[in-house]
Amino acid sequence: MNPNFLQTPIDYLKGVGPNRADLLRKELGIHTFQDLLNLFPHRYIDRTQYYKISQLQPNSSDVQIIGKITDLHEVTQKRGKRLVATFEDDTGTMELVWFRGHKWIRDGLKLETPYVIFGKTNLFNRKYNMPHPEMELLEDHKQNLRSAMQAVYPSTEKLSNRGVTNRVIAKIMQQLFRETKGKFAETLSNDLINDLKLITKSEALFNIHFPKNQQLLAKAQFRLKFEELFYIQLQLILKNLIHKSKIKGFPFKTVGSLFNTFYKKHLPFELTNAQKRVIKEIRQDLGSNAQMNRLLQGDVGSGKTIVALMSMLIGLDNGFQACLMAPTEILSVQHYNSLVDYCKQLNISIKLLTGSTKTLERREIHESLENGDLNILIGTHALLEEKVKFKNLGLAIIDEQHRFGVAQRSKLWKKNTSPPHILVMTATPIPRTLAMSVYGDLDISIIDELPAGRKPIKTVHRYDNNRLKVFRFMRDEIAKGRQIYIVYPLIQESETMDYKDLMDGYASIEREFPKPDYQISIVHGRMKSADKDYEMQRFAKGETQIMVATTVIEVGVDISNATVMIIESAERFGLSQLHQLRGRVGRGAEQSYCILMTSHKLSNDSKIRLETMVNTNDGFEIAEVDLKLRGPGDLMGTQQSGVLNLKIANIVKDKDILAQARYHAKKILSSDPKLEQSEHKVLSETYRQMGKYKNIWNYIS
Ligand code: ADP
Ligand code: MG
């Protein structure tokens, strides 16, 4: 068959026509035969069984019954009309009910003619009824391409209201198989098929739509999931290889005196093994001829900053400048403060550039950047401004990457003849499987170990009516000289209700902890950034004991004397956010606590989130739970939504298949990076076709 046949617009399939074609395009994104073929069922029903009306049970699942309609009439109710049919077999009668689409149903139904009906039954007034049944004439039913299992396709309300039911979709699918004779070009190499004992493409497609039995369905699913994940991995790894061969970085050949001096003389603690390993990985990248593009993942408090500094020192040792960019002013200031002393010891110049840097200083920074006097620049988005020009930027580090888009990242590149090495740091633990499929084009380093001597944070869940006890606990901690965060949900800084909660909360804390014994800070998104900074500084210096805040303090803030994190309305936060917030404490030697306050009204998901927080401090474990609760889309934000376009695989449920796909993609590319060998021809051809039609993975970018 001509492979282009599958690119035929869906309008040309017999039984589709312009109206249905339009619906299929708009509702399901089906434009071509190929798209239809790749509309995979999301479940299957066993239609080998037929029920008698007398056998029906209340609340049965979907059942299939043979019988005929003896009467059809409309019933008018207060809330509109419904269409009711009396349906009978040799054991009894029941009703079929429609609430919508009366006209086309009425016109299409035949009285006194045997039908096979299918659907859920309800018991109402001691009579069974089936709302909106799937119906098929017994005669057609017998003739149709029969299979034991029946596919249920994704649908939309509009489709079913306009008569494009599951049966209609199944029918046009059958038509497609008739026209193609069910023969489809193979898209995986013989080696893969043999190694993994896969069924052929044609067999897989047939059995995914019309499974002959459970075993073949399972094989079809495996084959198609594997294929989908395999080509994504192939693409990600290929992109990475091309990137590495094309984009020459600045090789940092030496690890020189700055790095060594710092390591031997100034490092204030022993590095953890994980930190050592990660620095080694970074050093290897920096020393190679290719540009580094690495993601550094490490839970809150795992010590990423020192890794960033030591990486920058390697850059400086090789005569380059380095920069570190953070998403907020507060974070940039904190980075600057934690690095400035080390830099003094090493005689390195370091500056901070943010939105609130004064014009005069700004000008000085611009100048010293361009003439090369300035070694390290820390800052916010301000670093991306047109006027900021480095003399020779060798390494750019981006902290908390999920707040910077890829486009912004590449802005930094434009400032150089050759792109600097890039290190992206994130404390959002991303499960390895997800990281693999989303960030496949980045190399990943993981700090999976906290510095020794860190006491795990004790986390408890308290209901709002236990607040007095919580106040008592706060007083005790403050008496010991510790500081406390109280965080309110202000998901949208503009939400007036949330703002009121925060202010009410603040007022009650003020009453409970009166001046002059207690000093309280407050920070929220409606404040000017100078005022926010002022309050943060007061708290950081220990002038205030309690910090009432919104999630603006979420990321990175490091005040080691703060040992209590109280999260109000904790049920309203997502898991990763709760974990980030908790990470604000537990940074010093003292025992730290996290108290999750909630009302008694909790959804199941909230309960799971709270339990997870109480049970573990491990960010990766938490991320796995989060992924299960929310699915990958929410977790990653819309930016990486490519992962959502999976047609059949599910990266949470199919992580074993993903690992196999990755393994094989790597193996093949390592022996044949350009897919030139004859046995790989089918792979390169399929890959090329996918890019051309973008019909499976729209996110091939
Ligand atoms: P994060 O990964 O969250 O950015 P930081 O780099 O801010 O973590 O480190 C958290 C704290 O742990 C800092 O006070 C830092 O000085 C300290 N720290 C980092 N590495 C070590 C280590 N190997 N031993 C002891 N303390 C460390
Ligand atoms: Mg940090």
Side-chain angles (χ1 to χ4, degrees), residues 243-262:
H243 183 92
K244 280 194 173 142
S245 64
K246 264 196 202 149
I247 304 186
K248 297 272 176 274
F250 307 111
F252 293 178
K253 287 294 177 210
T254 51
V255 172
S257 66
L258 287 174
F259 184 93
N260 288 326
T261 310
F262 178 75

Side-chain angles (χ1 to χ4, degrees), residues 311-511:
S311 309
M312 292 197 281
L313 292 181
I314 300 176
L316 268 51
D317 272 336
N318 287 272
F320 289 95
Q321 293 168 307
C323 71
L324 169 55
M325 194 161 71
T328 64
E329 172 132 17
I330 294 174
L331 272 178
S332 325
V333 172
Q334 205 156 75
H335 277 311
Y336 177 79
N337 288 340
S338 63
L339 297 182
V340 70
D341 289 340
Y342 297 134
C343 290
K344 261 192 204 127
Q345 291 167 348
L346 293 166
N347 249 328
I348 298 169
S349 61
I350 178 172
K351 288 270 187 222
L352 175 70
L353 180 69
T354 70
S356 41
T357 306
K358 299 275 178 317
T359 319
L360 191 66
E361 202 185 345
R362 199 173 274 268
R363 212 172 291 148
E364 276 171 28
I365 290 175
H366 291 163
E367 249 178 54
S368 59
L369 261 190
E370 279 193 71
N371 67 26
D373 286 348
L374 185 56
N375 302 121
I376 295 179
L377 182 62
I378 312 282
T380 55
H381 284 80
L383 263 60
L384 299 173
E385 280 163 18
E386 217 41 63
K387 280 191 184 147
V388 180
K389 294 197 190 84
F390 292 85
K391 181 174 181 218
N392 56 357
L393 179 63
L395 169 66
I397 301 181
I398 304 171
D399 196 9
E400 298 307 339
Q401 161 283 333
H402 54 288
R403 305 203 176 185
F404 288 107
V406 176
Q408 284 172 316
R409 236 201 273 167
S410 57
K411 262 196 182 175
L412 271 173
W413 290 31
K414 294 208 184 84
K415 297 181 184 297
N416 266 25
T417 45
S418 188
H421 296 289
I422 305 267
L423 181 67
V424 173
M425 305 198 292
T426 178
T428 309
I430 304 160
R432 233 182 199 292
T433 47
L434 190 55
M436 245 158 47
S437 32
V438 180
Y439 293 113
D441 58 332
L442 291 178
D443 295 306
I444 303 173
S445 290
I446 298 179
I447 308 184
D448 50 7
E449 181 188 357
L450 292 181
R454 261 318 140 72
K455 292 196 182 83
I457 301 161
K458 286 190 181 148
T459 303
V460 293
H461 171 205
R462 293 283 177 264
Y463 290 108
D464 290 340
N465 52 4
N466 281 322
R467 196 168 291 277
L468 288 182
K469 277 193 193 152
V470 174
F471 286 149
R472 212 174 306 143
F473 176 74
M474 289 170 64
R475 269 186 213 103
D476 292 347
E477 282 293 302
I478 294 172
K480 288 192 228 159
R482 314 276 184 269
Q483 290 166 284
I484 296 172
Y485 293 105
I486 306 178
V487 175
Y488 284 80
L490 217 80
I491 287 73
Q492 292 286 326
E493 293 282 350
S494 58
E495 269 180 28
T496 311
M497 269 306 292
D498 285 346
Y499 185 68
K500 188 174 173 308
D501 282 355
L502 171 75
M503 289 331 248
D504 289 353
Y506 178 63
S508 80
I509 295 295
E510 265 190 322
R511 275 195 302 279

